[in-house]
Amino acid sequence: MRIAVGLGIKSGEERLESQGITRRDFMKFCTAITVTMGMRPAFAANVAAALTGHRPSVVYLHMAECTGCSEALLRTYKPFIDALILDTISLDYHETIMAAAGEAAEDALNQAVENPEGFICIVEGAVPTAMNGKYGYVGGHTMFDICQRTLPKAKAVVCMGTCAAYGGVQAAKPNPTEAKGIAECFPAIKPINIAGCPPNPLNLAGALVAFLQGQEIRLDELGRPVMFFGQNVHELCERRKFFDEGKFASSFNSREAREGWCLYDIGCKGPQTYNNCPKVLFNETNWPVRAGHPCIGCSEPGFWDSMSPFYQS
């Protein structure tokens, strides 16, 4: 499909080229998404078609959070995610990066929600529910009210990060704001939970591609796409062989830790954590355990309480 841009008509690939994204870089990105989805490399052409077709309207809501999920998304490169996202979806509302403010921002949200073609809603952050939601306001409306009037109208609701999915750090004890994840707060909503603190942006991109192609997105009992969260970190970890051999690092500065021995004895929560971090690296570069840091279980509900202390000595 082609859309009007300015005085001319541009295809999706032409829009990307105008942003300095080469076809080679774009297809590498599509291949990375394909691998993330567990598909064969040949499926990259289908991913490219989904990302360069009709631009779906996306509303990105911020609740109680640190904006780390958005920061992870914006720092993706090869190609840079800002150029890619802005030319493959119509990001009609995102408080962090939108130019509009005040009433103009409110109008942008209202127009997007009433889009006759519908919209996809991405939520970042937990929803404060104590005192009728008065712990969190945006534009004079409680976060609870914003979600209540927006989410039921969406074609799909995607929770970006563990806070939106399960409450995250906002819901950690003693949780004075009674923060909750979307599914707990609104039982009628069945979100796609892209868990993590922050999650890998490729998991979000893969979920959007699957939705745009009309694929069935199989979810686990926690609402996470099985194609991204079907195996635990321990099964995929490159240090697994040392675990099987009974070779464990005793401290972070030990020779064994530097040589890649298993970090289980110093706090790694990989066996209890379902995520594809070892297989889908951040920016195709690294992930915590390879960098020498134990997995802290950030894609699991209540990990701030149930997985702590994060380090053992």
Side-chain angles (χ1 to χ4, degrees):
M1 179 176 290
R2 302 168 76 88
I3 66 170
V5 178
L7 298 177
I9 303 293
K10 290 189 177 183
S11 69
E13 289 191 7
E14 289 169 339
R15 295 197 309 267
L16 294 172
E17 288 175 359
S18 69
Q19 295 288 340
I21 299 175
T22 66
R23 176 173 174 78
R24 177 183 175 84
D25 282 344
F26 177 60
M27 291 308 299
K28 283 178 64 178
F29 181 77
C30 292
T31 301
I33 294 176
T34 299
V35 173
T36 302
M37 297 172 69
M39 304 292 187
R40 294 182 178 179
F43 191 74
N46 300 71
V47 173
L51 291 177
T52 55
H54 175 67
R55 298 197 302 167
S57 174
V58 174
V59 170
Y60 196 117
L61 298 179
H62 285 271
M63 300 293 106
E65 37 77 23
C66 68
T67 315
C69 298
S70 287
E71 293 291 347
L73 185 64
L74 294 171
R75 279 162 173 69
T76 299
Y77 75 112
K78 291 185 179 180
F80 287 100
I81 200 73
D82 56 350
L84 178 64
I85 287 293
L86 295 179
D87 278 281
T88 56
I89 67 173
S90 179
L91 188 56
D92 294 322
Y93 185 84
H94 188 300
E95 293 157 15
T96 302
I97 64 175
M98 67 192 302
E103 292 182 358
E106 288 291 295
D107 289 342
L109 175 59
N110 293 332
Q111 290 177 27
V113 170
E114 300 303 326
N115 185 337
E117 295 186 7
F119 64 98
I120 298 169
C121 188
I122 301 175
V123 184
E124 179 177 341
V127 181
T129 64
M131 295 181 63
N132 295 318
K134 288 182 171 58
Y135 280 99
Y137 278 86
V138 177
H141 307 285
T142 68
M143 294 174 176
F144 182 93
D145 287 341
I146 292 171
C147 287
Q148 189 173 46
R149 75 169 190 260
T150 303
L151 302 188
K153 298 180 180 180
K155 294 191 292 186
V157 175
V158 181
C159 290
M160 182 61 171
T162 298
C163 292
Y166 313 121
V169 65
Q170 281 70 232
K173 296 177 182 177
N175 192 10
T177 68
E178 297 180 19
K180 298 178 181 179
I182 294 299
E184 182 183 4
C185 198
F186 305 100
I189 303 295
K190 305 300 179 185
I192 301 169
N193 290 328
I194 308 299
C197 190
N200 193 311
L202 287 181
N203 291 342
L204 173 65
L208 292 177
V209 165
F211 178 79
L212 292 174
Q213 292 189 321
Q215 296 182 36
E216 178 185 1
I217 302 177
R218 189 161 64 94
L219 305 178
D220 66 12
E221 66 278 7
L222 297 174
R224 302 173 298 195
V226 173
M227 57 183 161
F228 311 134
F229 301 92
Q231 291 179 280
N232 66 38
V233 169
H234 180 65
E235 293 171 356
L236 300 171
C237 183
E238 63 264 41
R239 296 179 187 244
R240 169 69 186 269
K241 61 180 180 180
F242 293 108
F243 178 92
D244 293 339
E245 295 171 1
K247 296 180 177 179
F248 302 97
S250 58
S251 67
F252 290 106
N253 62 356
S254 66
R255 174 183 58 83
E256 292 81 6
R258 292 193 294 272
E259 291 181 357
W261 285 27
C262 181
L263 303 178
Y264 184 76
D265 281 356
I266 51 178
C268 187
K269 305 303 189 298
Q272 302 107 286
T273 304
Y274 285 79
N275 211 331
N276 59 1
C277 303
K279 183 171 67 174
V280 183
L281 306 179
F282 279 81
N283 278 334
E284 302 177 23
T285 302
N286 214 336
W287 73 287
V289 173
R290 177 184 289 185
H293 192 289
C295 170
I296 63 173
C298 73
S299 56
E300 301 303 310
F303 80 97
W304 285 97
D305 294 323
S306 63
M307 299 290 189
S308 60
F310 296 137
Y311 309 108
Q312 304 288 342
S313 59

